[in-house]
């Protein structure tokens, strides 16, 4: 079948074509406008290793792509018309999808994991809407430290002080086509949060991949380094990824029942609870990612749920029927959004299909709960639970599940083999 040729905005000389890798980091190529028609028709070749890189671009032998098969090619094709990049005149960007040399989807593309769950929901007559909140740090690129001091969460003065960099991030990314609802200083020096307006689950995940890449570009253009690292400073707040879910049938939010959470919403919550521990790896794949998961940090440590309660793992937000939603709070800003959203949606749909009831609702401090099941607070536990989960393996597919677990096992081994500055300072002279 002939591929569509997408028109370029007037004045475009370069097109950025990319997609999310194993960790949801956007990767791809820059293409001269003169070559764009050929790319649209024939694709842009690059190695399937794009889906088998760790976050540092290291590769290793994996079951699907390895040294024995020579890390073969795949092709990227544009998904739509390129959009001008406001801070780079003449440059436009569009998202891509991948095809193998056999013109079939690449089995280890993490986007396919979410696609299957979106199709499952569609077969049930459901559209999954997701709003996303991402926290990140704006740092001095020379020192890798914040330029401001003190915690001024929601501070209007601090917001104004950061407007010279956060304003362009908010306005220009909104102008690019990712609808930004708001921004605010968060609970640490240099930390901010930006909320992206809800959309269907796949578009929401695509936007997160693009958003993180674009934030880094705009920050750099304004003299800052942006990082979505989950816990860059041990004594400061971590960077979270909060996902707000609502399910719609015939333009009706089925989580709503006269201003309260419906049976479908309760069962979705029950399904989330059931799988939170074994899918923790989808919320972060690194040692650092699990440093966020500590009591009294506004990051959950168990499967508790409650209404408008920020100590729980699953927060129910009430209001008008269109606004009622389920917020899952354990993911890190470094997560792969395709895998996190796919796992959450699959668990929630299971809950609806099987009418899984959640535990008793938490109305107080969830960190003090003695009944809610714990979720992993270290990478080793998260890997063990993922490895033991036939449900997660079936969800991700054997190849992606194995690749993703291998990556985290390597991270754990790399970490275990380090001698830290703490150890040197404490023990070198003592022994």
């Amino acid at each position: 079948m002939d591929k569509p040729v997408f028109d370029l905005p007037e004045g475009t000389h370069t097109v950025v074509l990319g997609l999310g890798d194993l960790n949801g980091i956007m990767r791809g190529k820059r293409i001269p406008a003169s070559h764009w028609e050929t790319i649209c028709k024939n694709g842009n070749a690059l190695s399937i290793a794009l889906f088998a890189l760790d976050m540092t671009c290291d590769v290793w032998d994996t079951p699907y792509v390895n040294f024995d098969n020579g890390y073969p090619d795949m092709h990227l094709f544009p998904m739509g018309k390129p959009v001008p990049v406001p801070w780079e005149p003449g440059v436009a960007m569009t998202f891509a999808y991948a095809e193998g040399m056999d013109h079939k989807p690449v089995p280890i593309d993490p986007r396919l994991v979410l696609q299957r769950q979106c199709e499952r929901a569609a077969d049930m007559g459901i559209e999954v809407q997701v709003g996303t909140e991402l926290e990140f740090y704006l740092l001095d690129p020379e020192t890798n430290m914040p330029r401001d001091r003190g915690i001024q969460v929601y501070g209007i003065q601090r917001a104004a002080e950061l407007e010279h960099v956060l304003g362009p991030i908010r306005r220009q990314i909104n102008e690019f086509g990712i609808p930004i609802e708001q921004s605010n200083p968060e609970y640490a020096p240099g930390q901010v949060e930006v909320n992206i307006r809800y959309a269907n689950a796949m578009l929401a995940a695509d936007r997160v991949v693009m958003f993180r890449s674009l934030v880094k570009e705009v920050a750099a253009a304004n003299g800052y380094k942006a990082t979505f690292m989950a816990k860059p400073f041990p004594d400061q707040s971590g960077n979270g990824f909060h996902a707000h879910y609502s399910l719609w049938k015939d333009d009706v939010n089925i989580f709503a029942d006269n201003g309260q959470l419906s049976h479908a919403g309760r069962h979705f919550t029950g399904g989330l609870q059931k799988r939170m521990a074994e899918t923790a790896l989808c919320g972060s794949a690194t040692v650092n990612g699990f440093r966020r998961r500590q009591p009294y940090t506004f990051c959950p440590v168990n499967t508790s749920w409650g209404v408008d309660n920020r100590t729980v793992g699953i927060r129910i937000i009430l209001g008008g029927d269109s606004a009622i939603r389920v917020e899952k709070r354990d993911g890190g800003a470094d997560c792969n959004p395709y895998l996190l959203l796919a796992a959450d949606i699959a668990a929630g749909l299971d809950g609806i299909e099987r009418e899984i009831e959640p535990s008793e609702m938490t109305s107080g401090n969830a960190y003090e709960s003695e009944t809610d099941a714990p979720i992993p607070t270290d990478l080793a536990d998260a890997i063990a639970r993922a490895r033991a989960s036939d449900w997660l393996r079936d969800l991700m597919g054997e190849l992606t599940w194995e690749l993703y677990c291998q990556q985290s096992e390597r991270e754990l081994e790399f970490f275990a083999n380090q001698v830290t500055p703490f150890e040197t300072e404490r023990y070198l002279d003592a022994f």
Side-chain angles (χ1 to χ4, degrees), residues 145-222:
M145 297 296 292
R147 288 174 173 163
D148 51 350
R149 295 183 181 180
I151 297 173
Q152 293 296 330
V153 62
Y154 303 133
I156 295 301
Q157 179 181 340
R158 176 59 53 81
E161 292 169 353
L162 290 170
E163 186 67 6
H164 65 285
V165 56
L166 194 53
I169 287 172
R170 192 180 59 248
R171 292 191 306 272
Q172 292 182 331
I173 291 179
N174 192 75
E175 182 182 343
F176 175 79
I178 297 176
I180 304 301
E181 290 193 321
Q182 58 204 23
S183 66
N184 61 270
E186 259 300 331
Y187 202 72
Q191 189 185 39
V192 297
E193 177 180 278
V194 174
N195 296 0
I196 302 173
R197 185 170 176 79
Y198 65 86
N200 70 73
M202 185 62 78
L203 181 56
D206 288 343
R207 283 174 171 171
V208 168
V209 171
M210 287 189 288
F211 174 81
R212 292 189 300 203
S213 183
L214 297 178
V215 164
K216 287 176 173 287
E217 290 185 28
V218 180
N222 287 274

Side-chain angles (χ1 to χ4, degrees), residues 109-130:
D109 181 350
R111 197 172 187 270
L112 298 179
V113 182
L114 179 56
Q115 180 179 312
R116 290 192 289 268
Q117 293 309 309
C118 291
E119 292 171 350
R120 174 189 175 190
D123 290 342
M124 298 168 65
I126 291 172
E127 181 181 37
V128 182
Q129 296 278 340
V130 187

Side-chain angles (χ1 to χ4, degrees), residues 23-142:
N23 293 287
I25 298 170
M26 193 168 182
R27 302 191 189 277
K29 294 187 178 181
R30 289 192 165 217
I31 301 156
S34 59
H35 194 51
W36 178 243
E37 183 175 345
T38 299
I39 294 298
C40 289
K41 292 179 178 179
N42 302 321
N44 193 307
L46 74 174
S47 175
I48 294 175
L50 183 147
F51 293 130
L53 298 168
D54 69 15
M55 65 290 301
T56 71
C57 293
D58 196 11
V59 296
W60 67 100
D61 268 3
T62 68
Y64 187 76
V65 55
N66 48 58
F67 287 100
D68 286 339
N69 64 22
Y71 290 89
D73 267 351
M74 62 182 180
H75 281 100
L76 300 190
F77 290 91
M79 291 177 57
K81 182 178 178 179
V83 177
V85 176
W87 54 93
E88 278 196 280
V91 177
M93 177 185 289
T94 189
F95 215 64
Y97 68 93
E99 279 188 4
M101 302 305 288
D102 56 2
H103 302 293
K104 295 179 181 179
V106 178
I108 57 173
D109 181 350
R111 197 172 187 270
L112 298 179
V113 182
L114 179 56
Q115 180 179 312
R116 290 192 289 268
Q117 293 309 309
C118 291
E119 292 171 350
R120 174 189 175 190
D123 290 342
M124 298 168 65
I126 291 172
E127 181 181 37
V128 182
Q129 296 278 340
V130 187
T132 55
E133 301 176 0
L134 290 101
E135 295 165 336
F136 56 95
Y137 276 85
L138 293 168
L139 306 175
D140 185 299
E142 297 298 324

